[in-house]
Amino acid sequence: VCATELRRRRKRGSVPPPKRHVFIHELVCEGCGDCSVKSNCLSVVPVQTEYGRKYAIDQASCNVDEACLAGLCPSLVTVEGGTSRKRTALALADAGLAAPPQPTLPSLERPFSLLVAGIGGTGVVTVGALLGMAAHLDGRGVTVLDMTGLAQKGGSVLAHVRIARAQEELAAPRIALGAADVLLGCDALVAAGPDALTKVRDTTCVLLNSAAAITGDVVRHPDHALPLAPAVAALRAHADAVEEVDATRLAARLLGQPIAANLFMLGVAWQRGRVPLTHEALARAIELNSVAAADNLLAFEWGRRWAVDPDAVERAARGRERVSDSRRLSGSLDETIARRRAFLVDYQDEALAERYGALVARVQGAEQRVAPGS
């Protein structure tokens, strides 16, 4: 099977986990990006470090097909016989957050249309399936139409979910132009694309994941900036209510895996009273899915807490934030010099650090003579 299907089966437990994983040693990496060019993989991502732009492999999205090894780079490291170490999720009880109140659910006097827009491989289709099952458990009429295109992983994916009091009230599964009641934007660029944007009207409630997901253009041209600001501006021009939440970062900190962001978003939307389904039905649908059910339910509940008290959830996330020393950027020139000097001592000896310090001092003196105060 293809690498994407193999990854899906590994998540379900029907195929054993891989025996080998690939990492990039940041101190050896020179940031040339050849591994990214050779593999054309969205999991080989540029990262800013203390020593310039490097590359890293996003283990959360990696298919473990080892295409990046075609780069033939000494910074590529393979680890055999080990398993990925996952960060444990933060329990709600440990954060000391009380259960939020039950929201007022939307009326179903007319069919309700919810559009989920995101990236293939992150659970967009799963969210649509969970909503469909929950509606069935609630005794509602429901249709779910997934628009996956040709690229199921890394490409644009839309899930059209329509819910009504009875099945006969639903004439078509596809949401009509300007007919979306809620747009769950799990990715900003997909949510602001023409396929999703045409479904939005001024009264549509837009809940947007503000995290920046890497695109093919960034893989090939790492200096290109993601057009997040224009995407958000386009959504605000079409809808009066646009709310942003950095769901990917919060899911990674609180739940140990960024892929839980979509269920986190669904929890926010439900607590906001934007999903016409009961809590019992949604929880049961997550259980029946039987893939990481406990993690998904916890992500949903964390999203509910964020909708009620975002500051408390942010504090809990910051308490679990860990940044490697190489990813922490220096705040001043003096700190930059001091950190490099200490690095050279660890790398070789004090003499090499003294040579570096003397060179920097000569350069600083020459610059002050030419441009005093620079």
Side-chain angles (χ1 to χ4, degrees):
V1 299
C2 71
T4 300
E5 176 62 22
L6 192 59
R7 173 174 176 261
R8 187 178 293 116
R9 294 184 185 183
R10 283 168 175 157
K11 288 175 62 179
R12 293 173 178 168
S14 59
V15 172
K19 297 181 179 180
R20 186 161 80 161
H21 297 268
V22 182
F23 297 84
I24 295 178
H25 195 309
E26 284 186 2
L27 290 178
V28 181
C29 173
E30 296 181 351
C32 72
D34 188 54
C35 54
S36 180
V37 172
K38 290 293 194 300
S39 64
N40 195 35
C41 179
L42 294 178
S43 296
V44 183
V45 298
V47 292
Q48 294 300 324
T49 75
E50 173 67 10
Y51 302 105
R53 187 183 67 216
K54 308 284 188 172
Y55 279 79
I57 296 177
D58 182 5
Q59 299 294 328
S61 63
C62 178
N63 272 347
V64 204
D65 60 359
E66 301 185 358
C68 50
L69 292 182
L72 295 176
C73 176
S75 69
L76 290 165
V77 180
T78 56
V79 177
E80 300 191 29
T83 57
S84 296
R85 182 171 55 191
K86 293 185 178 180
R87 195 172 181 182
T88 58
L90 176 62
L92 295 170
D94 295 337
L97 298 180
Q102 294 292 314
T104 302
L105 302 182
S107 170
L108 285 178
E109 293 182 0
R110 60 176 182 81
F112 188 90
S113 297
L114 187 150
L115 182 66
V116 187
I119 301 172
T122 62
V124 176
V125 172
T126 299
V127 171
L130 292 176
L131 291 171
M133 175 55 72
H136 171 71
L137 294 173
D138 269 342
R140 305 297 189 182
V142 62
T143 61
V144 180
L145 176 64
D146 298 319
M147 311 292 289
T148 59
L150 295 177
Q152 292 185 343
K153 183 175 186 293
S156 300
V157 175
L158 299 175
H160 297 243
V161 182
R162 304 197 66 219
I163 304 170
R165 292 173 297 188
Q167 196 67 37
E168 55 269 19
E169 296 182 16
L170 298 172
R174 188 184 181 112
I175 298 174
L177 299 179
D181 295 295
V182 173
L183 170 59
L184 197 62
C186 300
D187 177 74
L189 299 185
V190 178
D195 291 336
L197 205 58
T198 54
K199 307 299 187 289
V200 176
R201 61 180 185 273
D202 55 354
T203 59
T204 301
C205 172
V206 178
L207 184 63
L208 188 65
N209 184 356
S210 60
I214 192 171
T215 66
D217 285 338
V218 175
V219 167
R220 292 183 291 272
H221 309 288
D223 292 326
H224 286 191
L226 287 168
L228 288 179
V232 175
L235 287 165
R236 293 190 182 279
H238 283 73
D240 295 335
V242 178
E243 183 177 15
E244 298 181 54
V245 50
D246 195 354
T248 301
R249 178 182 61 85
L250 291 171
R253 298 287 183 270
L254 298 169
L255 300 150
Q257 45 188 348
I259 200 170
N262 290 359
L263 267 295
F264 185 95
M265 294 277 292
L266 181 60
V268 175
W270 187 84
Q271 189 62 38
R272 287 275 188 267
R274 303 298 183 180
V275 182
L277 300 170
T278 63
H279 182 275
E280 293 76 11
L282 284 167
R284 180 58 178 155
I286 292 173
E287 292 174 1
L288 291 174
N289 188 47
S290 68
V291 177
D295 293 338
N296 287 337
L297 187 57
L298 183 59
F300 179 81
E301 292 298 330
W302 269 114
R304 292 184 60 200
R305 268 69 175 176
W306 187 92
V308 174
D309 192 349
D311 292 337
V313 174
E314 288 285 353
R315 286 194 298 271
R318 283 196 298 270
R320 292 167 56 85
E321 192 168 4
R322 294 183 302 183
V323 180
S324 64
D325 190 60
S326 66
R327 300 285 179 89
R328 184 182 64 82
L329 305 183
S330 295
S332 66
L333 176 61
D334 289 340
E335 184 184 2
T336 298
I337 296 171
R339 290 179 68 180
R340 279 152 179 73
R341 192 187 184 288
F343 173 82
L344 291 175
V345 173
D346 290 339
Y347 171 73
Q348 190 162 308
D349 54 23
E350 187 70 31
L352 181 61
E354 289 293 339
R355 285 175 53 196
Y356 165 76
L359 172 61
V360 171
R362 289 202 307 272
V363 172
Q364 284 182 313
E367 183 177 32
Q368 291 304 314
R369 289 192 295 272
V370 175
S374 170

